[in-house]
DNA sequence: AGACATTTGTACTGTTTCGCATAAAAATAT
DNA sequence: ATATTTTTATGCGAAACAGTACAAATGTCT
């Protein structure tokens, strides 16, 4: 933590709070449909402050994605607490995802990465990189937990943890898409439950 | 087929071919980042012709989505040919999806619906409706095939066809997202294979 | 206090955007 | 032929857009 006071006029706002506000805008509108006026209004910062602090719109979007990725990773690691049974781990993982995905003013917003970064990934290489890395990280976190479960004999010896983890992620991706497509909470919860059953075996 | 000659100057272009060209633009750029100039250039139609024939940008996008949905449904029904074993049905379904998803100039384009409509679904109710209906149709087509397999004793009696079909769709959704995120063909094919194994039981 | 460095607000620039107005072009109907 | 109807092409226009110049404001350093 570098707390050395810098010379010059100090910043009148909290940068990470501003990124948080920007995240909300991007989450609702996506990257392309989010204008700097929208971002400026949401953050209560005028454009030069945004440019000075974060760079251009794509830089700010990448910052928002990165913050979201980090938050999601913390939440995921927490849901996958190894002192709980794997079955409960997965249920918690989907529960938390749904709580996030279903939030929204008019319609559910899904996942910032899956639901807004995907469309930009073709033409914005840096977005594609963040998205790919994030998905790989999520896969990996689940894989590690499953590998531990196999080691502990809580899952069949022969299961391939990597493949099974990717399949578990797959359900999260679909929940994000389906939430944004307007499916009901009940339908999504049912899908999550049957996913847990398929992965861990019926209860 | 109404072939009665209409009065007035006849159209100098094929409307469905134009929608096909527009589909490519939307597929690469998404709805918001696709400009009328892009669409005009790709279709070789000037703006008034586009407006006259299809309405505004959102109308054209909805037409493109609808055409894609219909094409995808035909391909899906074909992949699910009931005279083939279910296991092969699913493998074909994922194979064809991947062939489509991996196409693209610089990066893979994924699925027009999943990868570009999702982001617009929050703010454009009609897009959300098309997306939701399309996902439900795909789920249903798979469910029907699985129900038939259960009836024929090719899947365990106790399996819930609806839940299993949603899980099968789930893998398609993830393939679309992951393709666009830059995952390799090999990785995606491996995921599809382990999905088939999980749903139909190991070979 | 005065030099310096950084942030902030206003206002601007040049471009891109969507959608349309207008008139010419190309067909049929009478 | 003339009128009618629809499609094309040019090009307009008003708004939204991303990004920046400039000067005032607000802090630290010497």
């Amino acid at each position: 933590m570098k707390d050395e006071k810098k010379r010059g006029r100090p910043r009148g706002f909290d940068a990470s709070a501003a990124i948080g506000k920007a995240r909300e805008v991007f989450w609702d509108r996506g990257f392309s449909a989010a204008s700097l006026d929208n971002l400026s209004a949401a953050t209560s910062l005028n454009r030069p402050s945004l440019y000075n602090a974060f760079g251009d719109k794509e830089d700010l979007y990448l910052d928002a994605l990165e913050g979201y990725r980090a938050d999601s990773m913390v939440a995921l690691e927490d849901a996958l607490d190894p002192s709980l049974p794997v079955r409960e781990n997965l249920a918690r993982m989907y529960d938390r995802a749904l709580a996030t995905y279903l939030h929204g003013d008019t319609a559910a917003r899904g996942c910032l990465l899956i639901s807004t970064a995907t469309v930009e990934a073709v033409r914005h290489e840096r977005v594609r990189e963040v998205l790919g890395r994030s998905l790989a990280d999520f896969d990996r976190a689940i894989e590690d937990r499953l590998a531990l479960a196999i080691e502990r004999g809580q899952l069949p010896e022969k299961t391939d943890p990597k493949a099974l983890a990717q399949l578990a992620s797959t359900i999260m991706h679909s929940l994000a898409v389906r939430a944004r497509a307007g499916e009901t909470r009940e339908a999504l919860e049912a899908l999550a439950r049957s996913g847990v059953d398929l992965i861990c075996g019926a209860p």
Side-chain angles (χ1 to χ4, degrees), chain A residues 9 47 60 72-73 81 98 111 124 131 133 149:
Chain A
R9 178 170 175 174
R47 240 161 322 191
L60 179 55
S72 302
M73 202 63 193
D81 177 352
L98 277 182
C111 169
H124 294 93
L131 177 60
R133 181 164 45 84

Side-chain angles (χ1 to χ4, degrees), chain A residues 31-44:
Chain A
F31 170 75
S32 293
S35 74
L36 280 178
D37 282 338
N38 298 145
L39 294 163
S40 179
T43 57
S44 305

